[in-house]
Amino acid sequence: MDKKSPLNIIPDPRDQTETVTQWVYRTLRDAVMNGTVLPGRALTIRELAALLDVSAMPVREALRLLAAENALELLGNRRVIVPEMSAMKFAELCEARIALETHAAARAMPYIDSRRFDDLTELDARIDEAQAEGDLIKITQLNQQFHRTLYLANPHDITQPLIESLWLQLGPFMRLAMANLADHYIADRHKEALSAIAKSDAYALKMAITSDIRDGLAFAADPHLLQSFVIQSRQDTNA
């Protein structure tokens, strides 16, 4: 978690319907959510503007929006940083994810048609391929896409913005989860979710989503590992 480590932000092309500010916000939001911006990595408006080849104004506005979502913290010297994490806060974020996402999954299940089921199956296969390649960023992106595709089957869904707010706050810390994934992720919870959907079993689907989240963040169940992680993040932030 070097405060001066290179930023591996590779932005998608800007859509013609997007303003520069919207594009910068989307790019930086994705970078935080996918764990590209590591805990303790200080950012400056000048650095980000140069990286994205834009002026300071859209960067400043994008950072303000991300700070409002609790994804980043604005410092007084025109720098931004991932907010400090505590063990209790991490546990609360995990439990909030479970509460919201199991609700969203159960509500979405009646609306999942064969086409969306096929999309979910394909995404699960692509996640398996990314895991075999050891591509942590791709695993994270595809995993989010799987969950997003599932929950948004519900045309009346109102939880996705809340869920993505939690993903944002956890995103910078997911590298540790990914690094320890093989130690905890024994069962394929996405396949369990797909099986539950095929059987129209809402309870089994909620259990699969709960297990998926807990497995992905299983390192948080080890107080010593989580505490050492939080201490290291705090030291990097204050260095």
Side-chain angles (χ1 to χ4, degrees):
M1 297 186 218
D2 183 359
K3 293 175 72 174
K4 296 183 179 180
S5 59
L7 282 176
N8 188 28
I9 298 177
I10 303 175
D12 292 330
R14 181 162 69 92
D15 191 285
Q16 292 184 348
T17 62
E18 287 181 304
T19 66
V20 173
T21 298
Q22 289 171 334
W23 175 73
V24 171
Y25 167 73
R26 177 169 63 86
T27 298
L28 296 181
R29 187 175 188 271
D30 287 347
V32 173
M33 190 179 292
N34 296 330
T36 301
V37 181
L38 297 177
R41 178 53 160 93
L43 306 170
T44 66
I45 292 174
R46 178 181 297 179
E47 176 187 27
L48 293 172
L51 181 67
L52 300 177
D53 193 24
V54 297
S55 67
M57 185 175 295
V59 174
R60 186 179 294 109
E61 177 62 16
L63 293 176
R64 186 189 66 79
L65 292 172
L66 288 169
E69 294 181 89
N70 298 315
L72 295 173
E73 181 180 353
L74 299 179
L75 304 178
N77 52 1
R78 297 190 178 184
R79 294 189 306 159
V80 295
I81 203 164
V82 173
E84 186 175 304
M85 181 65 70
S86 68
M88 289 298 294
K89 180 179 178 180
F90 197 96
E92 285 295 311
L93 288 169
C94 295
E95 292 304 315
R97 272 197 65 186
I98 291 170
L100 283 173
E101 295 188 45
T102 54
H103 168 84
R107 299 287 290 181
M109 191 177 69
Y111 298 97
I112 298 175
D113 55 18
S114 59
R115 181 175 179 179
R116 189 171 293 258
F117 187 86
D118 289 344
D119 289 343
L120 290 167
T121 302
E122 181 185 354
L123 284 168
D124 183 47
R126 291 173 62 192
I127 291 171
D128 291 342
E129 293 173 1
Q131 288 174 338
E133 297 167 358
D135 190 333
L136 300 184
I137 294 295
K138 191 173 182 181
I139 293 170
T140 303
Q141 291 173 332
L142 290 172
N143 181 65
Q144 290 168 356
Q145 190 174 347
F146 180 94
H147 285 259
R148 192 180 288 115
T149 300
L150 169 58
Y151 306 151
L152 291 181
N154 178 5
H156 313 293
D157 177 73
I158 61 170
T159 61
Q160 192 60 35
L162 301 174
I163 290 170
E164 298 211 9
S165 173
L166 299 176
W167 290 354
L168 263 175
Q169 294 179 68
L170 284 167
F173 302 89
M174 291 306 293
R175 287 291 185 90
L176 181 61
M178 292 294 106
N180 289 272
L181 191 61
D183 296 334
H184 306 285
Y185 205 89
I186 300 172
D188 187 332
R189 303 304 185 182
H190 288 171
K191 284 185 172 56
E192 290 181 357
L194 290 169
S195 176
I197 293 168
K199 297 174 183 177
S200 298
D201 188 336
Y203 178 78
L205 177 58
K206 292 173 75 172
M207 290 302 98
I209 295 299
T210 297
S211 297
D212 185 45
I213 294 171
R214 290 203 188 281
D215 288 353
L217 299 170
F219 71 91
D222 184 333
H224 298 293
L225 181 57
L226 179 57
Q227 189 61 31
S228 65
F229 167 66
V230 169
I231 290 172
Q232 182 62 50
S233 298
R234 187 178 298 128
Q235 289 173 344
D236 290 338
T237 300
N238 294 331

